[in-house]
Amino acid sequence: MERAAPTRATPLIRLEGGLKRREQGDGAFELEIPELLVFRGQIVAVFGESGCGKSTLLDLIALVMEPTRVACFEIDLAPDGPRLDLADLWRQHNEAAMAALRRDYFGYVLQTGGLLPFLSVRRNIMLPRTIKGLPAAAGQLDAVAERVGLSGYLDRYPDALSIGQRQRAAILRAIFHQPRLVLADEPTAAVDKARARSIMKDLQKLARADDVAVLIVTHDVDLIAESCDAAYTFDTGPQVAGTTRSVCRPVAPEHLR
């Protein structure tokens, strides 16, 4: 699939000079992020071994974990809204503003899908729109569901779907309320390779159509090499004085193949 170029020169997310220190029993873990940029229209992959800092990075971007220090941390919501200084929101402990950002502009795809079992697939997908106060757009949902092979399944409950279908529904839920950034944590870990590639193609199609930036955390380098526009991995060194240090660095997508 031909990659779409980012639609703006200004990053949607800019994180520079970031550090997160976490105490771990008798030791500590430090994640350093010299620079991470996420543009609209991009699929950005974050990969590495267990314990390298992937989940910590995702939590920082998702605004659920406060950085220990950061030089620049911004989100540019134009044309939907202003550029916001996320570092300043953390300094002010402005939880209300960060919760509003997560609600209105972020979408999430969990490793297990995370669909609510007591709601139909349709109501699961509509839930973020309802919380955000957007109209139902049922006809639009039917059309998008048909594109990803969920037509006829919307009024079933999650336990009546296959694992792959549940992940497709989770992707629709993450995108259907018109976020600017989708965060996907190992979205294909629970399916086989064929289904994983199909899910990635679905995620690409839906994200490209709505000009959404997608940040995917994964351990499957072969899978994301086929589809990502940018990639980051981690250099983890040995413990020094009880502290393990990991540095997030960019990798050119062509070097993953």
Side-chain angles (χ1 to χ4, degrees):
M1 179 181 292
E2 185 176 350
R3 293 188 178 120
T7 57
R8 287 175 56 89
T10 303
L12 174 70
I13 292 285
R14 179 190 295 274
L15 197 166
E16 295 177 351
L19 177 76
K20 179 61 183 179
R21 180 179 174 86
R22 305 178 73 174
E23 302 299 325
Q24 297 179 331
D26 295 332
F29 174 80
E30 287 187 351
L31 173 63
E32 182 181 346
I33 309 115
E35 182 180 64
L36 184 139
L37 305 174
V38 180
F39 292 86
R40 291 174 182 80
Q42 276 194 331
I43 304 291
V44 178
V46 175
F47 67 95
E49 300 299 324
S50 296
C52 67
K54 299 190 302 294
S55 296
T56 298
L57 179 63
L58 192 68
D59 286 345
L60 288 169
I61 300 298
L63 303 181
V64 297
M65 180 182 290
E66 182 176 3
T68 302
R69 71 168 185 259
V70 65
C72 176
F73 192 11
E74 295 179 337
I75 183 168
D76 184 3
L77 298 173
D80 305 291
R83 184 184 304 178
L84 296 178
D85 186 340
L86 301 176
D88 192 51
L89 293 182
W90 276 117
R91 284 192 293 269
Q92 297 174 19
H93 300 289
N94 194 337
E95 295 287 350
M98 287 186 283
L101 281 172
R102 291 192 295 266
R103 178 195 66 214
D104 293 340
Y105 296 104
F106 291 12
Y108 305 91
V109 184
L110 305 177
Q111 180 174 333
T112 57
L115 300 178
L116 298 176
F118 52 86
L119 294 180
S120 68
V121 173
R122 183 185 300 275
R123 291 183 64 194
N124 263 287
I125 295 170
M126 290 292 192
L127 186 59
R129 290 186 69 91
T130 302
I131 293 172
K132 194 174 174 179
L134 293 174
Q140 182 183 351
L141 174 56
D142 290 337
V144 176
E146 185 171 0
R147 289 209 308 268
V148 298
L150 285 178
S151 181
Y153 295 93
L154 292 178
D155 295 312
R156 298 187 184 186
Y157 284 81
D159 62 0
L161 272 59
S162 69
I163 294 175
Q165 288 168 335
R166 288 198 293 271
Q167 284 299 84
R168 288 188 175 94
I171 289 168
L172 280 185
R173 183 179 62 180
I175 291 178
F176 198 59
H177 68 293
Q178 300 173 327
R180 305 317 310 149
L181 174 67
V182 170
L183 303 173
D185 186 8
E186 297 278 6
T188 60
V191 299
D192 59 36
K193 283 285 188 181
R195 289 188 179 92
R197 287 190 173 90
S198 180
I199 288 170
M200 282 298 300
K201 288 178 181 177
D202 290 338
L203 187 55
Q204 274 189 310
K205 276 192 300 186
L206 295 172
R208 298 285 198 250
D210 291 334
D211 198 24
V212 175
V214 181
L215 182 71
I216 299 176
V217 170
T218 183
H219 68 279
D220 193 335
V221 178
D222 292 337
L223 179 65
I224 54 95
E226 302 171 3
S227 54
C228 72
D229 302 290
Y232 291 84
T233 191
F234 303 83
D235 292 329
T236 302
Q239 273 202 0
V240 177
T243 297
T244 300
R245 186 167 173 267
S246 183
V247 180
C248 179
R249 64 174 176 85
V251 181
E254 57 267 25
H255 293 164
L256 301 178
R257 300 186 186 92

